[in-house]
Amino acid sequence: IKKMAVVQKHWRATFERVEKFISDTYFTDVNLRGRLYPESVPVTSLKAFKVEQVISFEDAVLRLKSATEVDLNYRIGPTWTTHWFECKLDIPAGWTGRRVRFRWDSGCEAMIWTNGKPLQGLTGGDVQHRYDFTLTDSAQGGESFCLYIEAAANSMFGAGMNGMINPPNPEQYYAIRRAEVAVFDVDVYSLLMDLRVLLSIAKSIPQTSHRAFEALYKANEIINGCTTFSSEQLQVLHKSATDFFQETNGSAQLKIHAFGHCHIDCAWLWPYSETIRKCARSWASQILLMKKYSSYVFACSQVQQLAWVKEHYPSLFDDIKEMVKSKQFLPVGGTWVEMDGNIPSGEAFVRQFLYGQEFFRKEFGLSSTVFWLPDTFGYSAQLPQIAVQAGMKYFLTQKISWNLTNKFPHNTFMWEGLDGTSVLTHFPPADTYGSDGSAADVLKTESQFKDKGRSRSAILLFGHGDGGGGPTEDMLESLKRLGDVDGIPKVTQGGSPQAFFQEVEDKDKSNLCAWKGELYLELHRGTYTTQAQIKKYNRQVEFLLHQVEFLLSLCASQQGYVKGFSKEMSDLKTVWHKMLLNQFHDVLPGSSIEKVHVEVKEIYEKDIIPSLTLLQDDLLRRIVNKHSEKHNIESSCLVFNSLAWERREVVNVPLSSSQTHSSHDKTDELKSAQKLSNGDVIAMTQCPGVGYAELAVIEEYDKVSVTEVGSTFVLENAIVKATVTSDGVVSSLLYKKTRREAVAPSSVANQMVIFDDVPLFWDAWDVMEYHLETRCPLLGECVSIQERGPLRAAVSFTLRISKDSTINQVISLEAESPILHFDTQVDWHESHKILKVEFPVNVKSLDATYEIQFGHVKRPTHFNTSWDQARFEVSGHKWVDLSEYGFGVSLLNDCKYGHSTRGSVMSLSLLRSPKTPDGNSDMGKHSFSYGIMPHEGSFQDANVIQYAYNFNSPLLLQTVKNKSSLGPPDTKHSKHDLVHSLFTSSNPAVILETIKLREDLVEDCLVVRFYESFGAHSTSTITSSVNFTSFKRCSMLEECDGFEEWSGSFEVQMHPFEIVTYKLLF
């Protein structure tokens, strides 16, 4: 380059000079950017038609034959419609030897097709755009092309009205801003990328460094050298820039591993159906980039999305499999979706890994060793153990960088879970999973890396994300130039996330710090409560799946083999896949648009729940019929208990009770039963754990009563005595054995309270701490007695929240139960309010205990530190407990996840009413139940864990008349035969969580999963009524080597909160 006269340079003026020289907005008539496409011609012809639903390529081509010609005035819309185009292109004869691209900008998302194959995604508009598709690298001149374009009437981030996360505009239309064939000047592009990277370096390196000035002045020098813009001159200038980029680092620089990434939300501001197309658009684009850049590697998670592509785009999936073999397309994560990290049950977590790894093995012949969950709203303390037992010892995320109060102290560390299992964990220091590959993000990776001196390696994930898209050619060119530049950390492409973790493990593990327990996100706490109905269905279906798998195991145990159950297992797997999809981290938390939430509720109501109910009913009939035939009983009513302990409790019984036994063998009436005000009949019965029994009504029990005393109502049984006031609150709850009052002095429990709920920005996601300053108590009215005992006593009342919203609640107590029930119906029509219920209790403790997956965690009840203050709202599952020595109080629920315990006030978050991105979030009718349980001693000794399971899983009754010929009586029948239990555990700390058939049915066996629930070293003897032949502990993926001989039982030794899985062969 010819040196120019030395002049004094002003930083800002020089910087902006470079900016304008590569701008696509300013001075494009004379700058470099304006020469990128020196020649262009419009498309030769364009035909189009609109459809409301997604159709196949073949159908589209057929319809396009009769479609009309359109021009650039054609409008794409309204929102969520699909528009297909036939686009004919002709390359001018004079373009011989030129690189030619098709350029399309419809303002929305689109896909290019030809010959039935998706070729590349296109993203219109001004955000994360991708306009170009290469027709030929060297034109012959005169070629003709016919491309098909599938355009979706939505942008990369949906169609929010006046803002991305606002509810969609249903009448959004998009205009075609460009449809042309253009020459692409490779030399101009190379120099453009040089200048863009030089400018990024100059901007990002502190001006205290000489390299910032060298980069800027090199860019200025190049501009001065652009006089003729000839190809030869541009190549000389590119060589000058390359010389700068080849001034390399020393050997001790931080090493950054750059991986292409494309985070695609399975649903968020768009529905599931659009995500299927987003995956195809994004991954087709990445396949093209892989073919062009041999060192480019792309990390792809979420098995559901791969399964979608396999089903809907088989040719693209074949291309993906080839790129997996070449180690450029890297399947990571191994979970069905990137699920919510707080709300799913422990078993649901296990199935995410089980079905994810199963797909990877079947389709790609590999298993993931890296658990990949970059964008969810907190991480359960049991995830490390579950991940490791599913074959993953490494973990990547970055969401904790969003903490609002405290900055997390590490990027690379050992995350130790609840049971002590550790995973090597990395948070990419750039605090994003969608970098643009700029020098700014590379330098941020170094400056924000919190484990300097402990490790010299970090990850940078680059590529457009959330709405898909993935890396672009510009990003790859930028990172190529930043590979080893003096003043910039070293950037490597290639390898794999697994190789990164292995390198850190080998070199740095002994230097790394540890973080123990949950990774609590100090943001998005409202997601524990938003979309209450979806959360209710989630809990209901988790228990329904548990019950159906238990019944299927019972059927298999009766016949001694699993042959014949392939259809049932296939149906169950299909349901699990749909269930796991609905646990995606923007679906189950309730942070999607209304269209998504409506679809998800329909999937539960019209598909998942009916399918499971049909399967359950069929299995129940099989078991009852087999029982009736075995014992020569004309008709049977059996009680089923899928939980692992014997239960004695009140159940609804069939009115036709000739098959029902009592202790006096009365079969024509139920003298000890109670008829309810709605006509139902209830009775006391009992059932063994993990089994069934003939319905036997218990006549002797400690009764419950209700008494009206002045303006209060007293519900009392042998265990507790509750006083309910005329306002519907509980003024007293006495634990009778110790005469201990559970309600705090001068306080009332079951206090409904409403708060203003206006977050800073993320409406559906966030409830902020200042909402606590707006507390407003609510009082009920019209309290009356509904049931008088002897099995259930109840009072009911109404509470008006506002002119539009009401609560109807039944407070009940059952015979022999320590739980005061609150069955609640709410008609909810509020805006930016949150409804909670408070229980001030007569207990003092620095910590409260919350159930999580396969265990529990303690969290502070005080605000001593900023870390404590940030936990003003936390997640929990079926129960929370506040105990001091010798006494405690537990809250139980059947579908709620948002909790807080401040001092001695325990509260449960019931409903929210955000308005974005779902403008009708939670509006309408809701029903849910919760309960309060005072207890003596610890919650472990008081069986709170078991009571909470019972609260969510009522005993199940099934009556079937056997119409077949009964034959002679079974002389071997005895009363003992009327009770059947598959398993028993000698230690209540060891919970049998799951009993199922092996997934692939290649072995005649059951799979059982236990966990240690008390937080102690525990030993339990597991016995079974089934005559198994052998058994062996296995992984969560149901793999093991060899078996031990069965001797009727086996002993399980467990450390605190350990999860163990066994296979038992028939």
Side-chain angles (χ1 to χ4, degrees), residues 538-549:
N538 177 77
R539 180 80 65 83
Q540 178 184 348
V541 169
E542 285 176 341
F543 272 91
L544 191 52
L545 279 162
H546 165 88
Q547 190 143 280
V548 170
E549 290 186 330

Side-chain angles (χ1 to χ4, degrees), residues 630-642:
K630 176 181 178 181
H631 300 300
N632 194 22
I633 301 172
E634 183 178 353
S635 60
S636 296
C637 180
L638 298 185
V639 185
F640 290 84
N641 175 19
S642 65

Side-chain angles (χ1 to χ4, degrees), residues 255 257-260 294-299 326-330 332 492-501 503:
K255 182 180 178 182
H257 300 252
F259 301 113
S294 59
S295 63
Y296 170 47
V297 294
F298 174 74
S326 69
K327 300 184 179 179
Q328 284 185 271
F329 194 102
L330 307 176
V332 295
T492 66
Q493 295 190 67
S496 68
Q498 177 177 327
F500 160 81
F501 279 106
E503 179 181 314

Side-chain angles (χ1 to χ4, degrees), residues 542-577:
E542 285 176 341
F543 272 91
L544 191 52
L545 279 162
H546 165 88
Q547 190 143 280
V548 170
E549 290 186 330
F550 151 69
L551 293 172
L552 189 56
S553 301
L554 197 55
C555 282
S557 298
Q558 285 181 334
Q559 68 182 31
Y561 53 88
V562 299
K563 183 179 179 181
F565 293 113
S566 57
K567 182 183 183 303
E568 289 82 357
M569 288 296 289
S570 176
D571 292 345
L572 269 176
K573 183 176 289 189
T574 299
V575 170
W576 266 113
H577 288 173

Side-chain angles (χ1 to χ4, degrees), residues 550 552-562 690 980-984 992 994-998 1003-1008 1010 1022-1032 1043-1050 1062-1066:
F550 151 69
L552 189 56
S553 301
L554 197 55
C555 282
S557 298
Q558 285 181 334
Q559 68 182 31
Y561 53 88
V562 299
V690 201
H980 182 76
S981 176
L982 286 182
F983 294 98
T984 59
L992 173 55
T994 300
I995 172 172
K996 63 184 291 292
L997 306 189
R998 174 171 168 163
E1003 294 172 311
D1004 281 327
C1005 72
L1006 298 185
V1007 174
V1008 292
F1010 304 88
I1022 309 300
T1023 58
S1024 177
S1025 60
V1026 181
N1027 188 26
F1028 296 108
T1029 61
S1030 56
F1031 73 103
K1032 184 71 173 182
F1043 285 88
E1044 300 176 35
E1045 185 177 350
W1046 176 258
S1047 60
S1049 66
F1050 62 96
Y1062 282 84
K1063 287 203 294 190
L1064 308 172
L1065 268 65
F1066 293 118

Side-chain angles (χ1 to χ4, degrees), residues 641-847:
N641 175 19
S642 65
L643 304 178
W645 44 86
E646 186 177 59
R647 296 166 66 179
R648 174 184 167 107
E649 58 193 59
V650 175
V651 297
N652 276 50
V653 298
L655 290 174
S656 177
S657 56
S658 60
Q659 74 282 3
T660 303
H661 297 257
S662 74
S663 58
H664 295 298
D665 293 325
K666 298 289 186 180
T667 57
D668 57 344
E669 59 181 337
L670 299 174
K671 291 183 177 180
S672 56
Q674 176 184 341
K675 188 173 184 179
L676 301 180
S677 56
N678 65 359
D680 289 348
V681 173
I682 57 175
M684 180 77 74
T685 191
Q686 64 185 25
C687 187
V690 201
Y692 63 87
E694 287 272 5
L695 175 61
V697 173
I698 298 171
E699 295 186 351
E700 298 297 327
Y701 53 85
D702 294 317
K703 296 176 174 54
V704 65
S705 64
V706 58
T707 308
E708 189 170 357
V709 181
S711 60
T712 65
F713 299 83
V714 179
L715 292 82
E716 184 174 6
N717 64 15
I719 304 170
V720 295
K721 178 181 179 182
T723 302
V724 180
T725 74
S726 58
D727 298 322
V729 295
V730 178
S731 59
S732 174
L733 182 59
L734 187 70
Y735 185 72
K736 293 172 66 174
K737 181 179 178 181
T738 59
R739 304 296 299 170
R740 179 67 181 265
E741 175 59 58
V743 179
S746 305
S747 301
V748 292
N750 194 41
Q751 175 66 70
M752 294 288 179
V753 286
I754 197 165
F755 302 83
D756 292 342
D757 185 16
V758 185
L760 297 176
F761 178 73
W762 298 100
D763 198 2
W765 293 259
D766 284 338
V767 56
M768 307 306 295
E769 64 269 28
Y770 51 74
H771 84 279
L772 296 170
E773 302 173 29
T774 64
R775 178 180 182 274
C776 179
L778 303 170
L779 295 176
E781 58 186 7
C782 302
V783 180
S784 62
I785 296 175
Q786 188 178 68
E787 310 295 348
R788 295 184 177 274
L791 285 163
R792 181 181 297 158
V795 298
S796 62
F797 70 91
T798 300
L799 187 154
R800 180 159 291 280
I801 300 171
S802 68
K803 65 182 181 65
D804 299 313
S805 303
T806 57
I807 298 174
N808 290 290
Q809 189 173 77
V810 175
I811 304 175
S812 63
L813 184 65
E814 293 185 344
E816 299 186 359
S817 172
I819 303 169
L820 188 63
H821 281 250
F822 303 88
D823 299 315
T824 312
Q825 295 184 344
V826 183
D827 194 4
W828 181 246
H829 300 279
E830 300 300 306
S831 177
H832 290 110
K833 300 288 184 181
I834 182 170
L835 179 68
K836 300 187 178 186
V837 61
E838 293 179 346
F839 289 85
V841 297
N842 190 23
V843 176
K844 187 174 181 61
S845 176
L846 294 177
D847 299 290

